[in-house]
Amino acid sequence: MKKVFIDGSAGTTGLKIYDRLSGRNDIELIVLKDEDRKDPAKRKEAINASDVTFLCLPDDASRESVSFVENDKTVILDTSTAHRTEEGWLYGFPEVYDDFEEKLKTSKRIAVPGCHASGFVALIKPLIDCGILKKDAKLVCTSVTGYSGGGKKMIAQYEDEARSFDNGATKFAPNDDYDMFCYPRQYGLTQSHKHLKEMVKISGVEITPAFSPIVADFYSGMCVTIPVFASDLALGYGIEDVKNCYKNKYNGEIVFYKEASDESGFISAGAYEKKDCMEISVFGNEERILLSARYDNLGKGASGAAIECLNYVLGVDKTMGLKVK
């Protein structure tokens, strides 16, 4: 039985991973006492005693944990931003690679993708690989996410009891401190969001996209959309080529292409809340194409992706412990 340790199990992602793993009978969880969770010596001991360690920590702490490894046995699954573009680390999105399992045989360092980046990479990398999308296309990406993506602090803000509700609609007094949480809020305004680096490197684009993440007043769910103009495509390619690329690439249980996936002309960012799959769709026409990826920011965008990677490492069914239907 493989031993698994979660370094940083008190955070949002760490707690989700712990919940998912605590009921499995194919692994043994190494759990530190509360007073030992931040003790470097105890963490180091647990990491080296494990077959697989999840890092659910800030970037610097993740780097520290990696430095603790003293053997060639322990596989590290890092959910932070620290190693996603580092040499020697495998980007943990199996569906975008044709040889992920082969790469896994020689890698004990796996970086779990960022939530926003997952949608961008899923949409753009196949088009670049197929030669359909120009590498120098100037792209714009919009990503709408639930507030759980902001971690404990943001969750507490949105779920503060000081917020009042009436018949399901949030009500605020004038100048209420919580007024801002009623409306969708765009952020990443400096165009230096931490996911941009992996979005560029993993997808293969040459120009950093303009990226507009938006957090809204719902717990979890995500929709990433990217408009593509006909001039962004290589000569001779059109919308049907884009669709066929996705149909051929994404036909599994976890990531799949779906035709006409809108809900009466709308697409909801919460369509796959509490699930671990990702839906890829294409809308628009020959002149203006809209690429769409819908999934849960806590599912395929975080802990679900981490568990999928663990399943690959353990050689078990990749959907074990995942909710894909």
Side-chain angles (χ1 to χ4, degrees), residues 56-73:
C56 303
L57 302 162
D59 287 4
D60 288 343
S62 287
R63 295 186 184 98
E64 178 188 51
S65 291
V66 173
S67 73
F68 289 159
V69 181
E70 296 179 335
N71 62 68
D72 59 0
K73 177 193 73 171

Side-chain angles (χ1 to χ4, degrees), residues 19 21 55 164 168 188 255 259 275 299 304 311 314:
D19 288 344
L21 295 181
L55 304 182
S164 60
V255 182
E259 190 81 29
K275 294 186 179 181
N311 291 337
L314 298 181

Side-chain angles (χ1 to χ4, degrees), residues 8 40 59 65 80 115 119 140 146 156-157 195 201 225 263 266 305 325:
D59 287 4
S65 291
S80 80
C115 56
V140 176
Q157 290 173 328
H195 289 181
K201 180 174 181 178
T225 53
E263 297 92 28
F266 295 86
K325 294 182 179 179

Side-chain angles (χ1 to χ4, degrees), residues 34-284:
D34 286 345
E35 59 267 27
D36 294 333
R37 284 191 301 104
K38 296 185 179 181
D39 184 328
K42 296 292 185 181
R43 289 167 52 217
K44 182 176 181 178
E45 180 181 351
I47 289 170
N48 285 286
S50 73
D51 294 289
V52 182
T53 286
F54 288 95
L55 304 182
C56 303
L57 302 162
D59 287 4
D60 288 343
S62 287
R63 295 186 184 98
E64 178 188 51
S65 291
V66 173
S67 73
F68 289 159
V69 181
E70 296 179 335
N71 62 68
D72 59 0
K73 177 193 73 171
T74 302
V75 177
I76 299 294
L77 281 166
D78 187 6
T79 68
S80 80
T81 313
H83 299 103
R84 290 173 184 161
T85 59
E86 295 294 311
E87 292 299 321
W89 286 76
L90 176 60
Y91 194 70
F93 200 138
E95 291 81 8
V96 300
Y97 296 102
D98 293 328
D99 57 350
F100 185 84
E101 292 187 63
E102 286 301 312
K103 291 177 181 291
L104 193 62
K105 291 177 182 178
T106 59
S107 178
K108 293 187 181 299
R109 301 290 180 267
I110 303 170
V112 180
C115 56
H116 297 292
S118 293
F120 183 88
V121 168
L123 292 170
I124 298 303
K125 181 173 170 54
L127 300 183
I128 294 290
D129 290 346
C130 290
I132 295 174
L133 181 68
K134 296 177 182 177
K135 290 185 177 182
D136 62 353
K138 294 181 179 180
L139 301 175
V140 176
C141 176
T142 301
S143 182
V144 180
T145 182
Y147 59 78
S148 59
K152 284 187 173 181
K153 182 178 179 180
M154 185 173 288
I155 292 172
Q157 290 173 328
Y158 275 90
E159 297 184 353
D160 194 303
E161 292 182 357
R163 299 185 69 192
S164 60
F165 297 86
D166 181 54
N167 294 327
T170 309
K171 296 185 69 176
F172 300 93
N175 301 317
D176 193 310
D177 290 338
Y178 292 90
D179 180 57
M180 71 179 73
F181 303 116
C182 183
Y183 307 100
R185 295 186 296 158
Q186 185 171 332
Y187 62 106
L189 305 180
T190 61
Q191 289 301 302
S192 57
H193 192 281
K194 63 181 181 179
H195 289 181
L196 280 169
K197 190 176 180 181
E198 65 184 281
M199 289 162 68
V200 171
K201 180 174 181 178
I202 305 302
S203 70
V205 295
E206 295 176 347
I207 299 175
T208 301
F211 179 43
S212 298
I214 298 169
V215 61
D217 191 6
F218 59 96
Y219 184 72
S220 69
M222 179 168 276
C223 181
V224 173
T225 53
I226 304 170
V228 173
F229 289 89
S231 58
D232 294 321
L233 302 182
L235 187 64
Y237 288 104
I239 189 171
E240 291 304 317
D241 299 296
V242 173
K243 292 180 179 180
N244 288 332
C245 176
Y246 291 148
K247 288 176 184 178
N248 293 330
K249 186 70 173 177
Y250 300 129
N251 47 36
E253 294 178 88
I254 297 178
V255 182
F256 51 87
Y257 175 80
K258 186 175 180 181
E259 190 81 29
S261 67
D262 63 290
E263 297 92 28
S264 301
F266 295 86
I267 50 174
S268 168
Y272 291 94
E273 182 182 13
K274 298 181 179 180
K275 294 186 179 181
D276 298 303
C277 55
M278 176 185 286
E279 172 204 275
I280 302 296
S281 296
V282 178
F283 304 94

